[in-house]
C-alpha cells in the first residue's frame, strides 16, 4: 500500500512541477512562422527556384476560386463540398463557418514529391507546418490555397483537429 501512496505522491509532484511553479518561456512558434508581411509572389506562370536555397515561391491563382466551408455542428465535422474538381491554376478558399478551430492540411505521404514543394509554397506563410495551415478559430476566417503550377491529380486534404471525426476530402485537379 505504501508503494501506491509513494507512486501517487511522485505523480502529483511531477505534474505540479510541469504545470506550474516556474515561469514558462514565451511561445515563439507563431512569431517564427508568421511572415505574412514578407510574402513573395510571382507574376509569371512558373515558380522561381533559388539556385542556392531551393526555395519555391507562391504561384498565383490564374483561374477561378472555389469556396469550401469548414463546418462543425450537430451533424458532425465536415468540408462542404468535401470532394470536388478544379482546374490547374484555380484557387480554393476554405472558410470557417462553425465548430472551429479548423485548418487545412495535406498529408505529405499522399502528395507526389515533385508537387510537394510547390503546394507547400502555395499555402502561403500562415502555416503551422509543412502542407498545414494555421488554425482558424472564428467564423469568417479563411485559408486560400493556390493550385498554380500544380499538376493534374488527386490531392486528399483534412482538418488536423477533426481528422479522427472524418473531416476530410479530395481535390481533383484537371
Amino acid at each position: 500500500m505504501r508503494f501506491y501512496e509513494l507512486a501517487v505522491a511522485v505523480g502529483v509532484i511531477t505534474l505540479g512541477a510541469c504545470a506550474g511553479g516556474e515561469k514558462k518561456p514565451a511561445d515563439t512558434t507563431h512569431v517564427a512562422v508568421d511572415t505574412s508581411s514578407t510574402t513573395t509572389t510571382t507574376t509569371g506562370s512558373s515558380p522561381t527556384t533559388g539556385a542556392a536555397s531551393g526555395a519555391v515561391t507562391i504561384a498565383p491563382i490564374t483561374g477561378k476560386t472555389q469556396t469550401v466551408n469548414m463546418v462543425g455542428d450537430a451533424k458532425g465535422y465536415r468540408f462542404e463540398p468535401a470532394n470536388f474538381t478544379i482546374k490547374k491554376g484555380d484557387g480554393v478558399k476554405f472558410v470557417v463557418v462553425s465548430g472551429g478551430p479548423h485548418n487545412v492540411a495535406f498529408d505529405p505521404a499522399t502528395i507526389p514529391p515533385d508537387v510537394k514543394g510547390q503546394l507547400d509554397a502555395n499555402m502561403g506563410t500562415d502555416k503551422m507546418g509543412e502542407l498545414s495551415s494555421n488554425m482558424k478559430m472564428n467564423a469568417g476566417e479563411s485559408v486560400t490555397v493556390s493550385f498554380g503550377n500544380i499538376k493534374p491529380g488527386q490531392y486528399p486534404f483534412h482538418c488536423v483537429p477533426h481528422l479522427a471525426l472524418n473531416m476530410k476530402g479530395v481535390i481533383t485537379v484537371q
Side-chain angles (χ1 to χ4, degrees):
M1 188 64 158
R2 289 202 180 256
F3 173 75
Y4 294 112
E5 292 171 351
L6 178 62
V8 170
V10 168
V12 168
I13 291 170
T14 302
L15 287 174
C18 290
E22 70 181 76
K23 189 173 180 179
K24 294 180 184 178
D27 180 8
T28 59
T29 305
H30 183 70
V31 174
V33 295
D34 186 12
T35 58
S36 58
S37 63
T38 59
T39 300
T40 305
T41 56
T42 60
T43 55
S45 61
S46 63
T48 12
T49 305
S53 68
V56 179
T57 59
I58 298 170
I61 295 170
T62 57
K64 298 178 180 178
T65 299
Q66 164 87 33
T67 298
V68 175
N69 292 325
M70 298 185 284
V71 181
D73 59 19
K75 295 179 185 176
Y77 290 88
R78 64 199 176 278
F79 291 100
E80 292 180 342
N83 303 309
F84 55 94
T85 301
I86 62 172
K87 293 186 168 130
K88 181 178 178 179
D90 285 354
V92 179
K93 182 177 183 178
F94 296 89
V95 180
V96 174
V97 173
S98 59
H102 296 296
N103 83 329
V104 178
F106 297 89
D107 180 353
T110 66
I111 305 301
D114 60 333
V115 175
K116 195 180 296 185
Q118 184 65 66
L119 184 57
D120 188 54
N122 287 358
M123 293 185 74
T125 58
D126 188 26
K127 298 187 306 187
M128 68 177 190
E130 179 185 39
L131 296 170
S132 184
S133 74
N134 270 337
M135 296 293 167
K136 301 302 175 191
M137 308 299 277
N138 304 307
E141 291 183 322
S142 65
V143 174
T144 301
V145 180
S146 168
F147 280 82
N149 294 326
I150 301 298
K151 71 180 185 179
Q154 291 193 326
Y155 297 91
F157 63 95
H158 61 274
C159 173
V160 171
H162 302 119
L163 179 58
L165 299 172
N166 207 32
M167 188 172 177
K168 57 187 178 178
V170 177
I171 299 169
T172 300
V173 178
Q174 292 182 334

